[in-house]
């Protein structure tokens, strides 16, 4: 029945030369893998470097300034003779501008996303979406210009006593800047909702609005929320718009009509001047940077978690 | 066998359909759907089965540029559901559909079934509760899910999801139910349960089902229509189609001959 | 053989119905045989005519069962024991129908015997014995089929030898009568036809028993001696 | 029987028609919401698009006087009318060159490693987490990193090299992520097919993975580069000079060894910084310069983004697995 | 009926082989009948024994063809005309096998006639006539099956009446002989068995013809009079 | 039927397989593959058919943490292809595979077929040309593509793509060919052509095929193995498995009974 497993010379011949080649082949493969791994480790190195630098310089800063003062003092004037080191004004500025931006961006962005994904014709969407994505690519300094020289004058016509530098204009422009971001990510999330789910709803006799609100939005909700959170992180870390248009005076206020500095604006302002390496002013921007980093990092992590959940949906 | 007289529930009259790219997908189809019967549509891929089925609840209206020509008349009210004045939403409220892949909404089991009622403005909790239970029973799912109506529908197995979709469609008391290859995404066990369900549903409503699986058509349907290249080649009792089809083309298709 | 149920309850029902129909057909024939035998025993022409009349039912059942079989094949793509069952039923039904025909022959002979023929010397006991044996064979075959009992099936096949022997004895006896008194020839030939019909009925029961073995074991023992 | 049927049909008929009427009314009510929402949605969209249009046209109108070749060939100057952006665009170009040469090889290699090689262990998890976090780090923090590390730590000074490396790190996550996405779009079945005919890992990567993900990677690179081009904050943070009235040494010379690297350590400015600088001048005339520069930056970034988007759509259309 | 080819060339081959096997079996039986008839005509015992011997081949073919049918059903899920063909072949094969049995009976009778029996007055022409008719019927049935020609099938069914009439005439003649000279009874009975076998062969050919009509038209005309 | 003596081309000996998550997917499988025969693997979803098949070309090595235990011995050289010292690449050069969904490379038709040769260091254009033609002929595709060898493989139809994949696998003269549900993504016409191709290929090599379609197993294979929950329940001649299986569990599966 079975023939005896005699080894035929032919099969011997075909196999052994291959084995000889293995050693060299395996070595090359290993070397390539090692090089690629080094490249991947650069990401880790970067993060470590960021954390290390921020911590190192901040440590120098906190040798001079107590952590208590940093978090409780109400003034931030590290460069004055009479220096105060309370981060609160910068945080207030950051939060106010970000809040305004989100107030503008979230509703407009969401509505635009729903419109594009559920109401607009295929053609409209195919044209509008890339244009929106272009908006994401516009350099922020240009938006700063726009806020300062276009929006603020416009606002001043409505609110006469608005300052030339103010958080309102900066916030609004930042909001508009973020709209495409939210619209695009949220629309992606909604588009990822399978067509058969929509057909399921329409087949039940639902209208477009019912389908959009009752089926598509809930299905895409985690994607949409992730878009919001990433937008917050973006607003908090945004630099040039506020640096240009919101003013650079730390000011502990939540009044959008006033001018105030954000954390980012402060860093820019200091960096523009020629501060000596190692001075307390120099160190202060790292301390501010550390606060910024912690804030955005938390948002990013939340966003990441939400997004991961949404990936697992279908 | 059973020579009872058949009531026509709906019929397509000289129905033509054109996709937005101009493709003439249906070519003058005349076909009845008999009340409380299951009619199966078979034919090679791309022959227009789904296209025909989707005319019945005007799914094609969701995509711009598609065009109907001809009539689908529903009885007893004699409405041509393709007429311009007839709102597709109204049609879909009378004719429900179950899709190829189970497509429950990302909601609870309960809310999935209640959806059609809510869309119709249903508010009364008691009424909805009753309807939901009734529909789930009708879809042979009640016993399996009655203790976890608030679970997410995605947590059900594929076959259960499909039965949930059937329950969802049932909840609004449709007159006709359309199935587009309802078991092609399911394993044999789930397939068997859906097929049994369909033959039970026949007592309540009229069914039109597209299937690739000839044996499935043979198993579940009372009448079978064979379509080819957008034409209706033969419409006969299922028993006849698979054992002694009238048309040579049907015979060739069914026996796997080169047409 | 113990069998599980199909996943499809409709398939279960269809197979059940099919089996029931076969049994029903078999029982019908059993009754026919009994009625024909009674007609012979009591010289009852109307009973004989009734038997002839009833044969339509047998024929209709044959066609209906064949139709069921082909439908199940189309619908269910049966395999293994299911397929063997269906294919065998196609054969069994033919055998049953032939039994029906044999019964008809018996009934016809009973009718013919009522014509003014020269009577045979004595009422033939052999025929009644043949009838008994044939009826038992049929009952055995049906029970064998109902339970898919291959042991019983083998007994049915073996028991047919007794029927054959009885048949031969009857024929020999009839020939003797004919030789002794040529006036009995016509009547004796009718009797011979009846005897042969019973013998054939026995043959058909062995066919059924062979099919049962095929259904249960997948072994085709036709035209082989069973061991 | 017949009669009874008829009457019951008739009653069914009338109730059905009544029912239909109710249904029609309800549908009409529901559809009103459709129209309202559609209008609001369109408005939102138009608002966003209008902003872009306004912004661009504002820049173009404001900067119009400077739209002439001289603007590109002149150095900045104290007199607004004579100021140009020669040093800025040359600076941008050189910085981008460094950025490209840093981010692309590293990013693609890292992406490849993560998708094709990395075993599932703590190290790959660590890398993974780092990449996604880096993508969310505000750009100004990269500035701080560069200030602490490159400028003072490694003593590279406020040079083109520093700026290029900084932006390189900044867009590294973009390149990595888009490389991974592009690689992930290649179905496992293609890979298995290649392995199944006896290819080695590197053969699979080189013959298939890299080849089919090229387009996607390129898209990511272009988007990253356009981002780098517009970045201002990190460059300010490293203390780039804003007033540069000279060009860095040419990278290519006519005498041997023909290539020199002095330009790497040269001081520089870039377009967005130039714009920012002019923007902070009180003199209105400089704001015309700023507007013109802004228009140019926008134009270039839009162009680059446009190319990337076009590329992406092309890929999506051509490759259907 | 003109038929297209299947997409699967193997399926085509399988069906072709199946059909060929049926024809082959039919031809085998035709030869058996001829040989048995020759044996009768020439009183050739060895030919008669040869016929008995050959019957194994017929039986084996029956089993092989049934096996082919069941395999095709499992492999191909035939429908419509293909399924009708296969199911009908299952029936046809049974008929052919029975014809084989009838031929065996003829051969046995030929053998028995060689024993010292009182000879019949004359060589019976009727038997040769019956043999001719039965052979023609079989040829007709096979040709009908080969061409799925329903017209021809109807002729075969109608032609069986002639065979029946001839059979009855032969029987009557034999009874006359028996009555006239009771010594001829044994021989006459053997002749009667032969005659009946030819008559039965004719019946089986009509069964085949009926199956051909079912294959070709899907109409089951068994037990109905053809119009 | 054909009682020719069978040569064993390969056999698994007490083969166990564990996925990285610890799942024990194969439980001591002992099974031969006979030379120049087609062996089909059937069984319910998740029973380990694909897992078993993919052991034969060590596809599981691509994903970390998977573990083989036991042997797969190839004849006549008696190599245990699962042994530590044996390079999976070498195994894949002797045993090729065709997948469920046609997966041509996005390269030209020619390059797809030539790839296996190139990977082996083939450079000689003439030799490669010949091999490509031979493989395409072997896959019954040559006539359809010979005039457009440089076209992108994606431009072929599904069935053609699958035959291209077969040609690609053929080009390197494998001893065994593995098919994992090779027609489940194809329409009936393409399926028929692949099935015929397989029965022809049998003359050249040994085939192991996973299929969900029992009738397909009945049609194409010489031997059939029924697997259940990682066990090999029955290995028999195909003729026997479908008409008179030995094991009750096989019977239940094949006839669709509740096991
Ligand atoms: N959205 C569309 N636009 C243009 N043509 C289409 C569209 N959908 C289908 N078609 C074409 O219409 C014809 C009928 O398609 P349809 O989907 O009804 O076929 P089908 O019989 O349901 O096939 P399948 O069995 O593959 O589902 C086909 O030729 C198809 O290519
Ligand atoms: N990558 C994996 N990791 C862990 N378990 C797996 C993996 N792949 C398969 N399994 C498990 O191993 C078992 C066998 O899977 P396998 O894919 O071999 O089944 P199959 O018989 O091919 O099923 P199908 O017919 O659905 O393809 C299943 O229980 C499955 O869940
Ligand atoms: Mg007759
Ligand atoms: Mg599998
Ligand atoms: O029907 P039979 O003549 O073969 O008994």
């Amino acid at each position: 029945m079975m023939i005896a497993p005699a080894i035929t010379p032919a099969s011997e011949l075909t196999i052994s030369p291959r084995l000889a080649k293995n050693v060299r082949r395996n070595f090359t493969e290993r070397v390539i893998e090692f090089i690629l791994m080094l490249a991947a480790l650069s990401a880790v190195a970067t993060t470590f470097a960021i954390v290390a630098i921020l911590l190192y310089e901040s440590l120098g800063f906190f040798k001079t300034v107590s952590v208590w003062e940093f978090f409780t003092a109400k003034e931030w004037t590290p460069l004055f003779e009479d220096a105060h080191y309370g981060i609160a004004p910068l945080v207030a500025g950051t939060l106010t501008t970000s809040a305004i931006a989100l107030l503008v961006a979230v509703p407009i962005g969401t509505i635009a996303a729903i419109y594009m994904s559920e109401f607009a014709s295929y053609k409209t969407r195919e044209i509008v979406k890339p244009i929106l994505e272009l908006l994401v690519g516009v350099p922020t300094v240009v938006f700063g210009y726009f806020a300062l020289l276009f929006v603020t004058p416009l606002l001043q016509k409505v609110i006469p006593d608005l300052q030339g530098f103010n958080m309102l204009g900066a916030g609004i422009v930042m909001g508009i800047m973020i709209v495409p971001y939210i619209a695009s990510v949220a629309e992606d999330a909604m588009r990822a909702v399978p067509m058969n789910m929509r057909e399921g709803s329409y087949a039940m006799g639902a209208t477009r609005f019912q389908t959009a609100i009752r089926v598509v939005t809930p299905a895409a909700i985690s994607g949409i929320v992730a878009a919001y959170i990433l937008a917050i992180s973006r607003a908090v870390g945004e630099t040039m718009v506020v640096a240009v248009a919101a003013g650079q005076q730390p000011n502990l206020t939540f009044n959008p009509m006033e001018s105030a500095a954000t954390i980012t604006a402060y860093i820019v302002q200091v960096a523009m001047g020629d501060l000596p390496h190692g001075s307390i002013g120099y160190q202060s921007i790292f301390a501010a940077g550390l606060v910024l980093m912690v804030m955005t990092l938390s948002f990013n992590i939340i966003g990441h978690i939400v997004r991961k959940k949404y990936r697992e949906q279908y | 066998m059973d020579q009872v007289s058949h009531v026509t529930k709906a019929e397509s009259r000289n129905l033509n359909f054109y996709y937005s790219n101009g493709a003439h997908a249906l070519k003058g189809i005349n076909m009845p759907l008999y009340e409380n019967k299951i009619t199966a549509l078979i034919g090679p891929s791309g022959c227009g089965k789904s296209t025909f089925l989707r005319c019945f609840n005007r799914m094609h209206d969701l995509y711009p540029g598609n065009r109907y020509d001809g009539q689908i008349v529903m009885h007893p009210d004699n409405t041509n559901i393709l007429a311009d004045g007839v709102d597709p939403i109204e049609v879909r409220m009378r004719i429900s559909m179950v899709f190829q892949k189970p497509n429950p909404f990302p909601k609870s089991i309960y809310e999935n079934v209640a959806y059609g009622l809510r869309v119709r403005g249903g508010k009364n909790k008691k009424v909805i509760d009753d309807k939901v239970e009734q529909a789930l029973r009708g879809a042979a799912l009640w016993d399996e899910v009655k203790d976890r109506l608030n679970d997410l529908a995605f947590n059900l197995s594929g076959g259960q999801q499909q039965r949930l979709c059937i329950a969802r469609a049932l909840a609004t008391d449709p007159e006709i139910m359309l199935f587009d290859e309802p078991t092609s995404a399911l394993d044999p066990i789930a397939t068997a349960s859906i097929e049994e369900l369909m033959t039970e549903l026949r007592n309540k409503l009229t069914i039109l089902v597209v299937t690739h699986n000839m044996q499935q058509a043979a198993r579940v349907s009372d009448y079978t229509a064979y379509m080819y290249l957008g034409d209706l080649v033969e419409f006969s009792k299922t028993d006849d189609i698979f054992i002694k089809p009238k048309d040579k083309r049907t015979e060739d298709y069914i026996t796997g001959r080169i047409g | 053989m113990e069998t599980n149920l199909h996943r499809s309850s409709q398939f279960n029902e269809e197979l059940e119905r099919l089996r029931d129909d076969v049994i029903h057909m078999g029982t019908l024939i059993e009754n026919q045989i009994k009625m024909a035998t009674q007609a012979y025993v009591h010289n009852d022409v109307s009973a004989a005519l009734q038997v002839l009349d009833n044969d339509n039912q047998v024929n209709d059942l044959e066609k209906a069962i064949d139709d069921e079989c082909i439908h199940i094949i189309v619908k269910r793509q049966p395999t293994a024991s299911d397929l063997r069952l269906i294919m065998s039923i196609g054969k069994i039904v033919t055998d049953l129908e032939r039994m029906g025909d044999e019964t008809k022959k018996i009934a016809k002979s009973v009718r013919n015997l009522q014509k003014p023929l020269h009577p045979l010397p004595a009422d033939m006991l052999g025929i009644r014995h043949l009838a008994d044996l044939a009826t038992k064979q049929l009952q055995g075959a049906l029970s064998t089929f109902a339970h898919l009992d291959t042991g019983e099936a083998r007994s049915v096949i073996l028991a047919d030898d007794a029927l054959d022997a009885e048949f031969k004895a009857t024929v020999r006896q009839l020939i003797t009568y004919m030789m002794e008194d040529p006036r009995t020839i016509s009547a004796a030939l009718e009797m011979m036809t009846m005897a042969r019909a019973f013998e054939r009925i026995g043959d058909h029961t062995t066919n059924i028993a062979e099919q049962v073995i095929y259904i249960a074991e997948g072994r085709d023992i036709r035209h082989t001696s069973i061991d | 029987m017949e009669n009874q049927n008829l009457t019951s049909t008739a009653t069914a008929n009338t109730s059905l028609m009544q029912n239909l009427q109710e249904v029609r009314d309800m549908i009409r009510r529901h559809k009103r919401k459709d129209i309202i929402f559609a209008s609001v949605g369109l408005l939102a969209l138009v608002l966003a698009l209008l902003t872009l249009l306004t912004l661009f046209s504002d820049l173009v109108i404001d900067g119009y006087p400077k739209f002439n070749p001289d603007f590109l060939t002149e150095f900045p100057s104290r007199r607004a009318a004579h100021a140009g952006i020669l040093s800025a665009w040359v600076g941008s170009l050189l910085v981008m060159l460094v950025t490209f040469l840093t981010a692309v090889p590293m990013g693609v290699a890292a992406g490849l490693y993560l998708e094709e090689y990395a075993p599932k262990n703590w190290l790959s998890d660590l890398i993974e987490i780092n990449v996604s976090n880096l993508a969310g780090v505000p750009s100004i923090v990269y500035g701080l990193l560069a200030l602490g590390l490159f400028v003072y730590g490694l003593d590279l000074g406020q040079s083109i090299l520093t700026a290029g490396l900084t932006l390189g790190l900044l867009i590294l996550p973009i390149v990595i992520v888009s490389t991974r996405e592009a690689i992930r779009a290649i179905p496992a079945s293609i890979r298995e097919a290649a392995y199944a005919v006896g290819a080695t890992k590197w053969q699979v990567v080189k013959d298939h993975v890299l080849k089919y993900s090229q387009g996607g990677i390129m898209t990511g690179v272009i988007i990253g580069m356009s981002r780098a081009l517009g970045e201002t904050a990190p460059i300010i943070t490293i203390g780039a000079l804003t007033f540069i009235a000279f060009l860095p040494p040419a990278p290519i010379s006519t005498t041997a060894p023909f290539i020199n690297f002095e330009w790497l350590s040269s001081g520089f400015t870039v377009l967005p910084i130039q714009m920012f600088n002019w923007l902070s001048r009180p003199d209105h005339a400089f704001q015309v310069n700023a507007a013109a520069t802004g228009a140019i930056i926008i134009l270039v970034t839009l162009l680059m983004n446009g190319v990337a988007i076009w590329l992406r759509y092309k890929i999506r259309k051509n490759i259907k697995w």
Side-chain angles (χ1 to χ4, degrees), chain C residues 116-205:
Chain C
L117 290 177
H118 188 88
L120 282 170
D123 181 42
M124 289 273 302
L125 249 179
I127 294 286
R128 288 167 74 170
H129 198 195
L130 277 172
D132 270 3
L133 286 175
T135 313
K136 266 210 204 87
Q137 283 289 95
L138 175 54
Q139 286 165 339
L142 291 179
S143 143
T144 276
F145 172 77
H147 308 114
L148 294 185
D149 180 337
T150 54
E152 206 182 337
R154 287 187 166 79
S155 322
V156 168
I157 295 173
L158 292 174
D160 189 50
D161 286 351
L163 193 51
D164 286 352
E166 185 68 30
F167 167 64
K168 279 193 188 128
T170 310
V171 168
R172 243 174 282 118
Q173 199 185 355
L174 284 167
I175 293 180
T176 314
Y177 286 137
M178 288 196 272
M179 298 246 190
E180 283 172 0
D181 181 356
R183 285 168 303 168
T184 61
I185 285 180
S186 291
L189 283 177
E190 291 297 350
M191 300 289 278
M192 214 179 266
T193 303
M194 285 170 66
R196 182 179 292 107
F198 284 118
E199 189 269 339
R200 292 298 298 154
I201 287 176
D203 289 350
H204 289 296
T205 62

Side-chain angles (χ1 to χ4, degrees), chain A residues 121-122 195-208 210-211 213-215 218-220 313-314, chain B residues 54 57 59 62-63 89 92-93 95 97 99 101 103-107 115-116 118-120 154 168-169 172:
Chain A
S121 68
Y122 177 80
M195 194 58 207
N196 68 18
M197 210 164 276
R198 267 178 214 105
E199 288 196 347
S201 172
Y202 286 120
M204 301 297 305
T207 61
R208 257 177 212 284
Q210 285 171 327
T211 304
I213 297 300
R214 286 170 183 269
V215 173
Q313 275 271 324
Y314 313 105
Chain B
R54 291 162 69 93
N57 65 347
M59 267 289 143
L62 294 181
Y63 308 92
I89 294 179
R92 293 179 198 140
M93 289 190 169
I95 301 183
M97 174 157 177
F99 297 79
K101 256 188 69 196
N103 58 352
F105 303 132
K107 296 173 182 283
Y115 185 77
R118 298 214 190 280
V119 157
R120 280 157 180 73
F154 288 148
R168 181 173 73 190
T172 54

Side-chain angles (χ1 to χ4, degrees), chain B residues 19 21 23 25 44-51 181 212:
Chain B
Y19 276 105
N21 63 359
S45 191
C47 68
K49 302 181 295 294
S50 303
T51 306
E181 302 195 29
H212 249 121

Side-chain angles (χ1 to χ4, degrees), chain C residues 94-140:
Chain C
T94 312
D95 280 309
L96 288 175
E97 195 270 340
R98 291 273 157 92
M99 288 187 197
D101 286 351
E102 300 297 342
T103 321
K104 248 168 75 178
K105 282 186 200 161
I106 297 170
K108 273 186 193 159
S109 289
V110 171
R111 188 191 57 192
N112 291 345
L113 283 173
Q114 305 309 310
K115 283 184 265 180
L117 290 177
H118 188 88
L120 282 170
D123 181 42
M124 289 273 302
L125 249 179
I127 294 286
R128 288 167 74 170
H129 198 195
L130 277 172
D132 270 3
L133 286 175
T135 313
K136 266 210 204 87
Q137 283 289 95
L138 175 54
Q139 286 165 339

